[in-house]
Amino acid sequence: MSKLPRVALLSTGGTIDALGASRLDLAWYTETKNRLPDGALVAALPELKTVADVIQVPFARMPSYALSTEDWSLLATTVQQLAASGTFDGIVVTHGTNTLEETAFLLSLTLSTTIPIVLVGAMRPANGLGSDGMINLLQAVRLAASKPARGQGVLVLINDTVFAARDVTKSATFRVNAFAAPGLGPLGHVDADGEIRLTRRHATNAVPAFAIEDIARMPRVDVVVSYVGADGVLIKAAVAAGARAIVSAGTGAGRPTPAESAALNEAAAGGVVVCQGTRVASGRVSRSPAMKAAGRVVAPAMAPWQARIALALAVQHTTDSEAIQITLDAL
């Protein structure tokens, strides 16, 4: 008999192991503050033993919207240590879907490994009708244990669909197919028979863009979303609060209001790194001559919250706008 792959499993919480007040509690279950006991999700899924030798690694469980920078630092450090140990063929991290895309992006910028790192979540609680947690977890373990996933960096698996951490975003509040990669599409799927079909590959850096140690030192970086009639009050408040950088989620291809633009230029002149992004779900922001002259950088085809993470890591090394633009373009 061939030896099964070894997969490490870290459970950070989220809907996948949450318990609702009843089987119909598919919306407000987080308010019960109840979870499955440690190890119960895996114990209820004996089919995992046919796919991989799953080793559970203790980690604090919580809603993903409650995660802190300290939690991110510990998670990245733990995953990197597991990957570097040479003991595992893949690593799976269960995670709440609210901020799953942010954690996945952060890990993709800081981890150095060729083994698959797969983040997985669920849209319905463990005791809810139609719960998707168990099948998602099984498929994630299949993906993490597979050869096609090697060298693909950090991946996200949900609803049988495989996404690259750089591309994925949550696109629906309740649907089980709540994740998408606007403008790019998924990398592939884990089919019903367990076959891994990745029809697209994505470029991954051999050397991570940032060090894990940078996570614990991430400074304040704020995101300000534009809308009709927006003034510069929130931008000035961010500067006053000590923001080292500001991401402007502008309209269209990255256009804040005139009042916001004036406040952003003032912030940039005062040494705050200003990154122009867009509130639009897909598409890139082009760095116009006026933006460059004002010292603003742009987030090319990057969501505002992704840009926030990248900037919080980048400004620890430089505040030069041209150097930061080169870094953002390479991510």
Side-chain angles (χ1 to χ4, degrees):
M1 181 182 294
S2 61
K3 185 179 179 182
L4 287 175
R6 286 172 62 86
V7 174
L9 173 63
L10 285 81
S11 298
T12 70
T15 297
I16 195 167
D17 60 23
L19 295 171
S22 72
R23 295 209 303 162
L24 291 179
D25 181 8
L26 304 178
W28 309 304
Y29 50 88
T30 57
E31 296 179 5
T32 69
K33 296 182 170 49
N34 289 330
R35 297 195 172 278
L36 290 170
D38 287 342
L41 186 62
V42 170
L45 195 54
E47 292 83 359
L48 284 174
K49 295 178 181 179
T50 68
V51 176
D53 181 13
V54 177
I55 309 300
Q56 298 182 73
V57 179
F59 202 86
R61 292 186 291 154
M62 66 192 79
S64 66
Y65 51 79
L67 286 169
S68 67
T69 300
E70 291 74 19
D71 297 318
W72 267 352
S73 179
L74 179 58
L75 178 62
T77 300
T78 303
V79 172
Q80 183 63 66
Q81 290 173 346
L82 292 170
S85 70
T87 304
F88 300 101
D89 299 289
I91 299 171
V92 171
V93 179
T94 66
H95 197 286
T97 59
N98 283 8
T99 63
L100 185 150
E101 64 196 86
E102 291 173 68
T103 298
F105 184 62
L106 175 85
L107 294 178
S108 75
L109 297 182
T110 55
L111 295 184
S112 176
T113 181
T114 58
I115 70 170
I117 311 296
V118 181
L119 276 73
V120 61
M123 293 301 295
R124 293 172 180 168
N127 64 334
L129 282 175
S131 177
D132 54 331
M134 286 191 182
I135 186 59
N136 283 350
L137 178 57
L138 178 65
Q139 300 291 58
V141 171
R142 280 173 167 163
L143 180 64
S146 73
K147 290 183 180 179
R150 291 187 67 87
Q152 289 274 51
V154 179
L155 303 172
V156 170
L157 183 288
I158 196 158
N159 198 39
D160 296 343
T161 309
V162 183
F163 298 97
R166 175 66 173 77
D167 306 338
V168 72
T169 189
K170 188 171 183 178
S171 59
T173 55
F174 289 125
R175 303 288 84 81
V176 294
N177 60 336
F179 282 76
L184 295 168
L187 298 182
H189 297 86
V190 181
D191 280 339
D193 59 358
E195 183 173 347
I196 313 294
R197 297 188 61 83
L198 301 184
T199 56
R200 183 169 71 86
R201 297 187 69 84
H202 70 113
T204 57
N205 294 325
V207 178
F210 303 101
I212 288 176
E213 292 74 21
D214 291 337
I215 301 173
R217 299 189 293 263
M218 288 171 70
R220 183 184 184 109
V221 175
D222 288 306
V223 176
V224 179
V225 181
S226 189
Y227 52 88
V228 172
D231 58 23
V233 170
L234 294 179
I235 295 164
K236 293 178 181 179
V239 174
R244 292 275 301 280
I246 295 172
V247 180
S248 165
T251 60
R255 296 297 174 181
T257 66
E260 286 178 312
S261 190
L264 290 169
N265 289 344
E266 182 181 334
V272 177
V273 175
V274 173
C275 179
Q276 188 59 60
T278 176
R279 67 183 195 181
V280 179
S282 67
R284 58 186 287 268
V285 173
S286 177
R287 195 182 188 200
S288 71
M291 291 179 192
K292 186 173 182 178
R296 285 190 232 171
V297 299
V298 299
M302 189 181 295
W305 36 94
Q306 288 180 319
R308 190 197 76 83
I309 291 169
L311 287 175
L313 295 169
V315 296
Q316 299 178 46
H317 303 280
T318 181
T319 56
D320 178 75
S321 60
E322 298 309 309
I324 288 180
Q325 187 64 69
I326 291 172
T327 297
L328 292 175
D329 288 341
L331 296 181

mmCIF file of all heavy atoms in Angstrom, residues 217-269:
data_model
loop_
_atom_site.group_PDB
_atom_site.id
_atom_site.type_symbol
_atom_site.label_atom_id
_atom_site.label_comp_id
_atom_site.label_asym_id
_atom_site.label_seq_id
_atom_site.Cartn_x
_atom_site.Cartn_y
_atom_site.Cartn_z
ATOM 1 N N ARG A 217 5.429 44.289 12.583
ATOM 2 C CA ARG A 217 5.747 45.723 12.628
ATOM 3 C C ARG A 217 4.865 46.552 11.696
ATOM 4 O O ARG A 217 5.145 47.735 11.468
ATOM 5 C CB ARG A 217 7.215 45.920 12.246
ATOM 6 C CG ARG A 217 8.213 45.228 13.171
ATOM 7 C CD ARG A 217 9.624 45.652 12.839
ATOM 8 N NE ARG A 217 10.056 45.171 11.532
ATOM 9 C CZ ARG A 217 10.782 44.073 11.341
ATOM 10 N NH1 ARG A 217 11.149 43.346 12.374
ATOM 11 N NH2 ARG A 217 11.149 43.717 10.118
ATOM 12 N N MET A 218 3.812 45.950 11.160
ATOM 13 C CA MET A 218 2.975 46.676 10.205
ATOM 14 C C MET A 218 2.403 47.949 10.832
ATOM 15 O O MET A 218 1.715 47.890 11.846
ATOM 16 C CB MET A 218 1.837 45.781 9.714
ATOM 17 C CG MET A 218 2.297 44.672 8.775
ATOM 18 S SD MET A 218 0.994 43.455 8.390
ATOM 19 C CE MET A 218 -0.092 44.447 7.370
ATOM 20 N N PRO A 219 2.661 49.116 10.238
ATOM 21 C CA PRO A 219 2.150 50.370 10.790
ATOM 22 C C PRO A 219 0.712 50.621 10.357
ATOM 23 O O PRO A 219 0.138 49.868 9.571
ATOM 24 C CB PRO A 219 3.086 51.411 10.174
ATOM 25 C CG PRO A 219 3.403 50.835 8.829
ATOM 26 C CD PRO A 219 3.492 49.337 9.041
ATOM 27 N N ARG A 220 0.160 51.688 10.844
ATOM 28 C CA ARG A 220 -1.203 52.062 10.459
ATOM 29 C C ARG A 220 -1.242 52.477 8.993
ATOM 30 O O ARG A 220 -0.491 53.340 8.536
ATOM 31 C CB ARG A 220 -1.698 53.210 11.335
ATOM 32 C CG ARG A 220 -3.143 53.601 11.032
ATOM 33 C CD ARG A 220 -3.611 54.811 11.823
ATOM 34 N NE ARG A 220 -5.020 55.049 11.554
ATOM 35 C CZ ARG A 220 -6.008 54.838 12.422
ATOM 36 N NH1 ARG A 220 -5.726 54.395 13.643
ATOM 37 N NH2 ARG A 220 -7.260 55.084 12.097
ATOM 38 N N VAL A 221 -2.134 51.835 8.252
ATOM 39 C CA VAL A 221 -2.428 52.213 6.867
ATOM 40 C C VAL A 221 -3.940 52.194 6.724
ATOM 41 O O VAL A 221 -4.583 51.192 7.045
ATOM 42 C CB VAL A 221 -1.781 51.242 5.856
ATOM 43 C CG1 VAL A 221 -2.208 51.599 4.438
ATOM 44 C CG2 VAL A 221 -0.263 51.269 5.976
ATOM 45 N N ASP A 222 -4.509 53.289 6.264
ATOM 46 C CA ASP A 222 -5.966 53.400 6.183
ATOM 47 C C ASP A 222 -6.454 53.355 4.740
ATOM 48 O O ASP A 222 -5.734 53.735 3.809
ATOM 49 C CB ASP A 222 -6.440 54.700 6.835
ATOM 50 C CG ASP A 222 -6.320 54.657 8.345
ATOM 51 O OD1 ASP A 222 -6.866 53.714 8.947
ATOM 52 O OD2 ASP A 222 -5.673 55.547 8.927
ATOM 53 N N VAL A 223 -7.698 52.887 4.580
ATOM 54 C CA VAL A 223 -8.371 52.875 3.281
ATOM 55 C C VAL A 223 -9.530 53.862 3.348
ATOM 56 O O VAL A 223 -10.348 53.814 4.276
ATOM 57 C CB VAL A 223 -8.907 51.472 2.938
ATOM 58 C CG1 VAL A 223 -9.680 51.504 1.623
ATOM 59 C CG2 VAL A 223 -7.767 50.461 2.874
ATOM 60 N N VAL A 224 -9.605 54.760 2.376
ATOM 61 C CA VAL A 224 -10.689 55.742 2.300
ATOM 62 C C VAL A 224 -11.436 55.536 0.985
ATOM 63 O O VAL A 224 -10.838 55.613 -0.094
ATOM 64 C CB VAL A 224 -10.153 57.178 2.384
ATOM 65 C CG1 VAL A 224 -11.298 58.173 2.275
ATOM 66 C CG2 VAL A 224 -9.391 57.396 3.690
ATOM 67 N N VAL A 225 -12.719 55.247 1.074
ATOM 68 C CA VAL A 225 -13.532 54.962 -0.104
ATOM 69 C C VAL A 225 -14.216 56.236 -0.589
ATOM 70 O O VAL A 225 -14.832 56.963 0.192
ATOM 71 C CB VAL A 225 -14.591 53.889 0.205
ATOM 72 C CG1 VAL A 225 -15.410 53.576 -1.035
ATOM 73 C CG2 VAL A 225 -13.914 52.622 0.729
ATOM 74 N N SER A 226 -14.123 56.482 -1.885
ATOM 75 C CA SER A 226 -14.711 57.684 -2.472
ATOM 76 C C SER A 226 -16.186 57.486 -2.816
ATOM 77 O O SER A 226 -16.642 56.363 -3.040
ATOM 78 C CB SER A 226 -13.942 58.075 -3.732
ATOM 79 O OG SER A 226 -14.365 59.339 -4.195
ATOM 80 N N TYR A 227 -16.909 58.585 -2.859
ATOM 81 C CA TYR A 227 -18.322 58.599 -3.233
ATOM 82 C C TYR A 227 -18.668 60.027 -3.620
ATOM 83 O O TYR A 227 -17.888 60.962 -3.349
ATOM 84 C CB TYR A 227 -19.209 58.111 -2.073
ATOM 85 C CG TYR A 227 -18.953 58.839 -0.772
ATOM 86 C CD1 TYR A 227 -19.632 60.023 -0.454
ATOM 87 C CD2 TYR A 227 -17.998 58.363 0.123
ATOM 88 C CE1 TYR A 227 -19.367 60.709 0.716
ATOM 89 C CE2 TYR A 227 -17.735 59.042 1.300
ATOM 90 C CZ TYR A 227 -18.419 60.208 1.594
ATOM 91 O OH TYR A 227 -18.145 60.891 2.764
ATOM 92 N N VAL A 228 -19.807 60.227 -4.239
ATOM 93 C CA VAL A 228 -20.197 61.567 -4.692
ATOM 94 C C VAL A 228 -20.282 62.512 -3.499
ATOM 95 O O VAL A 228 -20.972 62.238 -2.511
ATOM 96 C CB VAL A 228 -21.544 61.521 -5.434
ATOM 97 C CG1 VAL A 228 -22.056 62.929 -5.724
ATOM 98 C CG2 VAL A 228 -21.402 60.736 -6.730
ATOM 99 N N GLY A 229 -19.567 63.611 -3.584
ATOM 100 C CA GLY A 229 -19.606 64.624 -2.536
ATOM 101 C C GLY A 229 -18.632 64.398 -1.402
ATOM 102 O O GLY A 229 -18.636 65.155 -0.423
ATOM 103 N N ALA A 230 -17.784 63.378 -1.487
ATOM 104 C CA ALA A 230 -16.836 63.103 -0.400
ATOM 105 C C ALA A 230 -15.843 64.254 -0.256
ATOM 106 O O ALA A 230 -15.325 64.776 -1.246
ATOM 107 C CB ALA A 230 -16.102 61.798 -0.663
ATOM 108 N N ASP A 231 -15.585 64.637 0.999
ATOM 109 C CA ASP A 231 -14.598 65.687 1.244
ATOM 110 C C ASP A 231 -13.301 65.040 1.737
ATOM 111 O O ASP A 231 -13.130 63.822 1.665
ATOM 112 C CB ASP A 231 -15.128 66.722 2.229
ATOM 113 C CG ASP A 231 -15.541 66.114 3.570
ATOM 114 O OD1 ASP A 231 -15.032 65.025 3.913
ATOM 115 O OD2 ASP A 231 -16.368 66.728 4.274
ATOM 116 N N GLY A 232 -12.401 65.853 2.254
ATOM 117 C CA GLY A 232 -11.109 65.334 2.682
ATOM 118 C C GLY A 232 -11.005 65.057 4.164
ATOM 119 O O GLY A 232 -9.906 64.802 4.670
ATOM 120 N N VAL A 233 -12.148 65.073 4.878
ATOM 121 C CA VAL A 233 -12.115 64.935 6.332
ATOM 122 C C VAL A 233 -11.519 63.593 6.776
ATOM 123 O O VAL A 233 -10.678 63.531 7.673
ATOM 124 C CB VAL A 233 -13.531 65.120 6.925
ATOM 125 C CG1 VAL A 233 -13.556 64.732 8.401
ATOM 126 C CG2 VAL A 233 -13.982 66.569 6.759
ATOM 127 N N LEU A 234 -11.953 62.498 6.162
ATOM 128 C CA LEU A 234 -11.457 61.182 6.565
ATOM 129 C C LEU A 234 -9.973 61.031 6.254
ATOM 130 O O LEU A 234 -9.232 60.378 7.002
ATOM 131 C CB LEU A 234 -12.261 60.078 5.872
ATOM 132 C CG LEU A 234 -13.742 59.977 6.265
ATOM 133 C CD1 LEU A 234 -14.418 58.853 5.493
ATOM 134 C CD2 LEU A 234 -13.883 59.745 7.764
ATOM 135 N N ILE A 235 -9.532 61.615 5.162
ATOM 136 C CA ILE A 235 -8.115 61.555 4.800
ATOM 137 C C ILE A 235 -7.281 62.328 5.821
ATOM 138 O O ILE A 235 -6.252 61.841 6.313
ATOM 139 C CB ILE A 235 -7.908 62.115 3.383
ATOM 140 C CG1 ILE A 235 -8.610 61.211 2.377
ATOM 141 C CG2 ILE A 235 -6.428 62.263 3.054
ATOM 142 C CD1 ILE A 235 -8.807 61.825 1.006
ATOM 143 N N LYS A 236 -7.738 63.504 6.182
ATOM 144 C CA LYS A 236 -7.014 64.305 7.186
ATOM 145 C C LYS A 236 -7.030 63.628 8.544
ATOM 146 O O LYS A 236 -6.057 63.689 9.299
ATOM 147 C CB LYS A 236 -7.626 65.702 7.263
ATOM 148 C CG LYS A 236 -7.409 66.529 5.989
ATOM 149 C CD LYS A 236 -8.078 67.896 6.070
ATOM 150 C CE LYS A 236 -7.853 68.676 4.783
ATOM 151 N NZ LYS A 236 -8.515 70.014 4.809
ATOM 152 N N ALA A 237 -8.136 62.952 8.853
ATOM 153 C CA ALA A 237 -8.222 62.230 10.121
ATOM 154 C C ALA A 237 -7.232 61.070 10.156
ATOM 155 O O ALA A 237 -6.614 60.790 11.194
ATOM 156 C CB ALA A 237 -9.639 61.715 10.345
ATOM 157 N N ALA A 238 -7.079 60.386 9.022
ATOM 158 C CA ALA A 238 -6.116 59.289 8.947
ATOM 159 C C ALA A 238 -4.694 59.800 9.167
ATOM 160 O O ALA A 238 -3.903 59.179 9.890
ATOM 161 C CB ALA A 238 -6.230 58.586 7.597
ATOM 162 N N VAL A 239 -4.377 60.931 8.555
ATOM 163 C CA VAL A 239 -3.054 61.530 8.746
ATOM 164 C C VAL A 239 -2.847 61.912 10.207
ATOM 165 O O VAL A 239 -1.802 61.621 10.813
ATOM 166 C CB VAL A 239 -2.884 62.764 7.838
ATOM 167 C CG1 VAL A 239 -1.569 63.473 8.150
ATOM 168 C CG2 VAL A 239 -2.931 62.354 6.369
ATOM 169 N N ALA A 240 -3.866 62.513 10.808
ATOM 170 C CA ALA A 240 -3.773 62.929 12.209
ATOM 171 C C ALA A 240 -3.630 61.733 13.138
ATOM 172 O O ALA A 240 -3.013 61.833 14.209
ATOM 173 C CB ALA A 240 -5.003 63.743 12.593
ATOM 174 N N ALA A 241 -4.194 60.598 12.741
ATOM 175 C CA ALA A 241 -4.123 59.388 13.561
ATOM 176 C C ALA A 241 -2.788 58.668 13.426
ATOM 177 O O ALA A 241 -2.547 57.670 14.115
ATOM 178 C CB ALA A 241 -5.259 58.440 13.202
ATOM 179 N N GLY A 242 -1.935 59.153 12.526
ATOM 180 C CA GLY A 242 -0.607 58.569 12.390
ATOM 181 C C GLY A 242 -0.448 57.590 11.253
ATOM 182 O O GLY A 242 0.501 56.797 11.241
ATOM 183 N N ALA A 243 -1.332 57.622 10.275
ATOM 184 C CA ALA A 243 -1.216 56.702 9.146
ATOM 185 C C ALA A 243 0.084 56.957 8.394
ATOM 186 O O ALA A 243 0.403 58.090 8.049
ATOM 187 C CB ALA A 243 -2.401 56.864 8.205
ATOM 188 N N ARG A 244 0.815 55.875 8.144
ATOM 189 C CA ARG A 244 2.043 55.982 7.359
ATOM 190 C C ARG A 244 1.726 55.953 5.867
ATOM 191 O O ARG A 244 2.547 56.377 5.042
ATOM 192 C CB ARG A 244 2.971 54.816 7.701
ATOM 193 C CG ARG A 244 3.531 54.847 9.115
ATOM 194 C CD ARG A 244 4.771 55.705 9.205
ATOM 195 N NE ARG A 244 5.817 55.213 8.310
ATOM 196 C CZ ARG A 244 6.626 54.184 8.561
ATOM 197 N NH1 ARG A 244 6.498 53.508 9.704
ATOM 198 N NH2 ARG A 244 7.564 53.829 7.710
ATOM 199 N N ALA A 245 0.560 55.430 5.543
ATOM 200 C CA ALA A 245 0.134 55.373 4.151
ATOM 201 C C ALA A 245 -1.388 55.393 4.105
ATOM 202 O O ALA A 245 -2.057 55.028 5.077
ATOM 203 C CB ALA A 245 0.675 54.132 3.454
ATOM 204 N N ILE A 246 -1.933 55.822 2.966
ATOM 205 C CA ILE A 246 -3.379 55.867 2.757
ATOM 206 C C ILE A 246 -3.679 55.279 1.390
ATOM 207 O O ILE A 246 -3.018 55.618 0.397
ATOM 208 C CB ILE A 246 -3.915 57.312 2.823
ATOM 209 C CG1 ILE A 246 -3.733 57.896 4.225
ATOM 210 C CG2 ILE A 246 -5.394 57.356 2.418
ATOM 211 C CD1 ILE A 246 -4.063 59.373 4.323
ATOM 212 N N VAL A 247 -4.667 54.409 1.349
ATOM 213 C CA VAL A 247 -5.152 53.880 0.079
ATOM 214 C C VAL A 247 -6.458 54.580 -0.239
ATOM 215 O O VAL A 247 -7.411 54.530 0.535
ATOM 216 C CB VAL A 247 -5.384 52.360 0.143
ATOM 217 C CG1 VAL A 247 -5.900 51.849 -1.209
ATOM 218 C CG2 VAL A 247 -4.109 51.634 0.526
ATOM 219 N N SER A 248 -6.508 55.240 -1.375
ATOM 220 C CA SER A 248 -7.729 55.892 -1.840
ATOM 221 C C SER A 248 -8.446 54.952 -2.790
ATOM 222 O O SER A 248 -7.947 54.632 -3.871
ATOM 223 C CB SER A 248 -7.392 57.207 -2.559
ATOM 224 O OG SER A 248 -8.504 57.681 -3.304
ATOM 225 N N ALA A 249 -9.612 54.452 -2.366
ATOM 226 C CA ALA A 249 -10.429 53.610 -3.235
ATOM 227 C C ALA A 249 -11.308 54.540 -4.052
ATOM 228 O O ALA A 249 -12.448 54.847 -3.687
ATOM 229 C CB ALA A 249 -11.258 52.633 -2.416
ATOM 230 N N GLY A 250 -10.784 55.021 -5.143
ATOM 231 C CA GLY A 250 -11.467 56.021 -5.942
ATOM 232 C C GLY A 250 -12.548 55.437 -6.833
ATOM 233 O O GLY A 250 -12.713 54.226 -6.938
ATOM 234 N N THR A 251 -13.299 56.300 -7.475
ATOM 235 C CA THR A 251 -14.320 55.850 -8.419
ATOM 236 C C THR A 251 -13.655 55.463 -9.733
ATOM 237 O O THR A 251 -12.541 55.901 -10.040
ATOM 238 C CB THR A 251 -15.351 56.956 -8.668
ATOM 239 O OG1 THR A 251 -14.676 58.107 -9.209
ATOM 240 C CG2 THR A 251 -16.045 57.363 -7.370
ATOM 241 N N GLY A 252 -14.358 54.651 -10.528
ATOM 242 C CA GLY A 252 -13.852 54.300 -11.854
ATOM 243 C C GLY A 252 -12.429 53.789 -11.827
ATOM 244 O O GLY A 252 -12.055 52.943 -11.020
ATOM 245 N N ALA A 253 -11.615 54.322 -12.714
ATOM 246 C CA ALA A 253 -10.223 53.883 -12.834
ATOM 247 C C ALA A 253 -9.320 54.618 -11.857
ATOM 248 O O ALA A 253 -8.152 54.889 -12.147
ATOM 249 C CB ALA A 253 -9.738 54.088 -14.262
ATOM 250 N N GLY A 254 -9.870 54.935 -10.672
ATOM 251 C CA GLY A 254 -9.062 55.542 -9.622
ATOM 252 C C GLY A 254 -9.199 57.045 -9.540
ATOM 253 O O GLY A 254 -8.201 57.777 -9.582
ATOM 254 N N ARG A 255 -10.447 57.516 -9.403
ATOM 255 C CA ARG A 255 -10.681 58.960 -9.347
ATOM 256 C C ARG A 255 -11.390 59.360 -8.062
ATOM 257 O O ARG A 255 -12.580 59.104 -7.881
ATOM 258 C CB ARG A 255 -11.519 59.402 -10.554
ATOM 259 C CG ARG A 255 -10.820 59.207 -11.877
ATOM 260 C CD ARG A 255 -9.572 60.045 -12.000
ATOM 261 N NE ARG A 255 -8.829 59.750 -13.222
ATOM 262 C CZ ARG A 255 -7.687 60.325 -13.565
ATOM 263 N NH1 ARG A 255 -7.152 61.233 -12.750
ATOM 264 N NH2 ARG A 255 -7.069 60.001 -14.685
ATOM 265 N N PRO A 256 -10.682 60.005 -7.129
ATOM 266 C CA PRO A 256 -11.337 60.577 -5.947
ATOM 267 C C PRO A 256 -11.980 61.909 -6.318
ATOM 268 O O PRO A 256 -11.774 62.430 -7.424
ATOM 269 C CB PRO A 256 -10.165 60.777 -4.976
ATOM 270 C CG PRO A 256 -8.979 60.983 -5.861
ATOM 271 C CD PRO A 256 -9.225 60.171 -7.117
ATOM 272 N N THR A 257 -12.762 62.463 -5.412
ATOM 273 C CA THR A 257 -13.361 63.769 -5.661
ATOM 274 C C THR A 257 -12.276 64.846 -5.609
ATOM 275 O O THR A 257 -11.178 64.610 -5.089
ATOM 276 C CB THR A 257 -14.429 64.097 -4.608
ATOM 277 O OG1 THR A 257 -13.774 64.249 -3.330
ATOM 278 C CG2 THR A 257 -15.481 63.001 -4.515
ATOM 279 N N PRO A 258 -12.548 66.040 -6.131
ATOM 280 C CA PRO A 258 -11.556 67.121 -6.050
ATOM 281 C C PRO A 258 -11.119 67.418 -4.617
ATOM 282 O O PRO A 258 -9.925 67.660 -4.365
ATOM 283 C CB PRO A 258 -12.289 68.312 -6.677
ATOM 284 C CG PRO A 258 -13.246 67.687 -7.649
ATOM 285 C CD PRO A 258 -13.705 66.428 -6.975
ATOM 286 N N ALA A 259 -12.059 67.392 -3.675
ATOM 287 C CA ALA A 259 -11.703 67.671 -2.280
ATOM 288 C C ALA A 259 -10.809 66.569 -1.715
ATOM 289 O O ALA A 259 -9.841 66.836 -0.988
ATOM 290 C CB ALA A 259 -12.967 67.817 -1.436
ATOM 291 N N GLU A 260 -11.122 65.325 -2.045
ATOM 292 C CA GLU A 260 -10.275 64.219 -1.604
ATOM 293 C C GLU A 260 -8.896 64.314 -2.243
ATOM 294 O O GLU A 260 -7.873 64.078 -1.590
ATOM 295 C CB GLU A 260 -10.919 62.885 -1.980
ATOM 296 C CG GLU A 260 -12.110 62.495 -1.139
ATOM 297 C CD GLU A 260 -12.696 61.174 -1.619
ATOM 298 O OE1 GLU A 260 -12.916 61.016 -2.835
ATOM 299 O OE2 GLU A 260 -12.930 60.303 -0.762
ATOM 300 N N SER A 261 -8.857 64.640 -3.521
ATOM 301 C CA SER A 261 -7.590 64.735 -4.231
ATOM 302 C C SER A 261 -6.678 65.778 -3.597
ATOM 303 O O SER A 261 -5.475 65.560 -3.428
ATOM 304 C CB SER A 261 -7.829 65.067 -5.705
ATOM 305 O OG SER A 261 -6.653 64.931 -6.458
ATOM 306 N N ALA A 262 -7.271 66.909 -3.209
ATOM 307 C CA ALA A 262 -6.481 67.963 -2.557
ATOM 308 C C ALA A 262 -5.924 67.461 -1.228
ATOM 309 O O ALA A 262 -4.756 67.714 -0.898
ATOM 310 C CB ALA A 262 -7.347 69.199 -2.351
ATOM 311 N N ALA A 263 -6.740 66.749 -0.466
ATOM 312 C CA ALA A 263 -6.292 66.217 0.823
ATOM 313 C C ALA A 263 -5.229 65.144 0.640
ATOM 314 O O ALA A 263 -4.279 65.051 1.425
ATOM 315 C CB ALA A 263 -7.480 65.664 1.603
ATOM 316 N N LEU A 264 -5.369 64.338 -0.401
ATOM 317 C CA LEU A 264 -4.373 63.295 -0.675
ATOM 318 C C LEU A 264 -3.042 63.914 -1.084
ATOM 319 O O LEU A 264 -1.969 63.458 -0.649
ATOM 320 C CB LEU A 264 -4.882 62.367 -1.774
ATOM 321 C CG LEU A 264 -6.050 61.446 -1.395
ATOM 322 C CD1 LEU A 264 -6.637 60.790 -2.640
ATOM 323 C CD2 LEU A 264 -5.616 60.390 -0.390
ATOM 324 N N ASN A 265 -3.089 64.947 -1.906
ATOM 325 C CA ASN A 265 -1.858 65.628 -2.313
ATOM 326 C C ASN A 265 -1.177 66.266 -1.108
ATOM 327 O O ASN A 265 0.060 66.248 -0.995
ATOM 328 C CB ASN A 265 -2.155 66.680 -3.372
ATOM 329 C CG ASN A 265 -2.535 66.063 -4.713
ATOM 330 O OD1 ASN A 265 -2.295 64.878 -4.945
ATOM 331 N ND2 ASN A 265 -3.135 66.858 -5.591
ATOM 332 N N GLU A 266 -1.974 66.824 -0.214
ATOM 333 C CA GLU A 266 -1.423 67.417 1.007
ATOM 334 C C GLU A 266 -0.765 66.341 1.871
ATOM 335 O O GLU A 266 0.313 66.559 2.435
ATOM 336 C CB GLU A 266 -2.537 68.117 1.782
ATOM 337 C CG GLU A 266 -2.071 68.824 3.043
ATOM 338 C CD GLU A 266 -3.210 69.487 3.783
ATOM 339 O OE1 GLU A 266 -4.222 69.841 3.132
ATOM 340 O OE2 GLU A 266 -3.100 69.657 5.023
ATOM 341 N N ALA A 267 -1.412 65.182 1.967
ATOM 342 C CA ALA A 267 -0.845 64.090 2.755
ATOM 343 C C ALA A 267 0.469 63.614 2.154
ATOM 344 O O ALA A 267 1.457 63.387 2.877
ATOM 345 C CB ALA A 267 -1.842 62.932 2.823
ATOM 346 N N ALA A 268 0.499 63.482 0.825
ATOM 347 C CA ALA A 268 1.720 63.038 0.163
ATOM 348 C C ALA A 268 2.852 64.039 0.357
ATOM 349 O O ALA A 268 4.008 63.663 0.590
ATOM 350 C CB ALA A 268 1.454 62.815 -1.330
ATOM 351 N N ALA A 269 2.509 65.317 0.278
ATOM 352 C CA ALA A 269 3.522 66.356 0.491
ATOM 353 C C ALA A 269 4.073 66.311 1.916
ATOM 354 O O ALA A 269 5.217 66.724 2.164
ATOM 355 C CB ALA A 269 2.924 67.732 0.196
#
